[in-house]
Amino acid sequence: MTTAPPDGVWTARDLLKRLERHEKFFVLDVRNREEFERLRIEGRERLPSVNVPYFEMLELGGKDEMEDSIVAYAERDLREHLPKDRPVLAVCAKGDTSEYVSRGLRRLGYACISLQGGMRSWGDHYATRAVVETADLAIYQVARPARGCLSYAVASEGRAVVIDPLRHLDPYLELARAKGFVIDAVLDTHGHADHISGGPGLAASTGASYYLHPYDAIHPMDLLPATISYEPLRDGQVLPVGRRRLTVMHIPGHTLGLVAFRLDDEFLCTGDSIFIRSIARPDLGGKAETWASLHGRSLRKLLALPGSMIILPGHFSGLDEAGESGLFAAPLSDLRSQNDGLLALQRQSEEGFVRYLVESLPKFIPEYVDIKRVNAGLLLPDEDQVSTLELGKNVCALSQAYGGPGGGGR
Ligand SMILES: [Fe+2]
């Protein structure tokens, strides 16, 4: 059971609902410019927003008169930026400063609310939805909407596997409790670069086995072997889940050890290969051209699968990629005709497609090298370092028109 938020406050859960319902509101983000650039709130459409670092608002007064100072600043400098015909959501890093801001702006007649817990809370919010839910087979999509990360639980007859679990384990443990299934195996489609994997942690806390392809148990830049323990995945391997079976498809390209998990001709968890609107980037190991040609061959293999298969991707770039139900999933036949990367794949020669991939690469994110080290057990950061490493939105896809590089904020 959830409790209603106090007046003037939205929780991360409220925010997601409003974004999904296309509600009109304005964002006043009071973090510093660098933080704003790394991760901002995005909706199904572009959200009108303005970034005014909080310290600029305090220039007119001391910390003791925070609210008065905000009112004075807003009267002088914000009038032409803030709308009065829709809610204004004040956002800061942890939700304290935005409360002062929203109280000050309410005094001036703005319908201002504060995001409870700030961007940290939004960044760590999870949303779980059923893709399919029958006695024979249930698949749940567990999303971390702010970062554009997706993971899955596949269950049959009380047994389950979790695919690509994200850093916080509670959503998976709560799901298992609520639906009454036992997690037998935890699978990573690849050694992730954009987020800290919850795989080894979830396996340890449930007694399940953790699986990874051995090629991704080597850091691609350091060439150091992973120190985490894992069961090796291989192409064609069959993993039982209750009455159903998942088949491993080795599809190198985004990483050398990338795999997809196929559930008969019905569902395909593609990891970082095919997304809804785009495809994965091949350069995060520092070998863009070599991996790009592997990527092309793997994608052609996936393209030949039955068109009725439902693609369940590892990421999204914008909330507008979800259907009305909020799920990020689509039949392969739709993606063949709508996905930018797959359209390029079908139009281009092998060499032409490699060129297309290399020319569409978004900016390299330096933190990704260290995140891969963390996932291999080669670095052990504390909680603060982990949050800093994971601060931005994922940039695992090729560049796109919407939302800039990778559709994300950085
Ligand atoms: Fe990835």
Side-chain angles (χ1 to χ4, degrees), residues 61-111:
K63 274 211 155 195
D64 294 340
E65 303 96 28
M66 270 192 196
E67 221 177 284
D68 291 342
S69 179
I70 288 159
V71 169
Y73 182 89
E75 278 191 306
R76 194 192 66 181
D77 288 329
L78 286 181
R79 276 186 187 282
E80 60 198 72
H81 297 293
L82 298 183
K84 281 214 162 157
D85 62 344
R86 64 183 68 183
V88 174
L89 178 66
V91 175
C92 68
K94 294 182 182 171
D96 305 326
T97 309
S98 59
E99 267 193 49
Y100 285 102
V101 172
S102 66
R103 278 206 299 269
L105 291 179
R106 282 205 296 274
R107 273 166 52 186
L108 294 175
Y110 293 98

Side-chain angles (χ1 to χ4, degrees), residues 367-389:
E367 287 89 346
Y368 282 11
V369 177
D370 269 352
I371 292 179
K372 269 191 185 275
R373 288 188 182 119
V374 175
N375 285 332
L378 299 168
L379 248 187
L380 297 170
D382 62 27
E383 183 60 28
D384 267 359
Q385 291 166 321
V386 161
S387 291
T388 306
L389 281 173

Side-chain angles (χ1 to χ4, degrees), residues 112-133:
C112 194
I113 50 262
S114 164
L115 177 62
Q116 193 174 67
M119 284 305 274
R120 181 161 286 193
S121 171
W122 174 233
D124 290 347
H125 180 66
Y126 286 70
T128 300
R129 286 189 165 89
V131 178
V132 59
E133 198 169 34

Side-chain angles (χ1 to χ4, degrees), residues 190 192 194 254 272 315 396:
H190 63 294
H192 300 283
D194 66 290
H254 175 67
D272 287 13
H315 288 293
C396 289

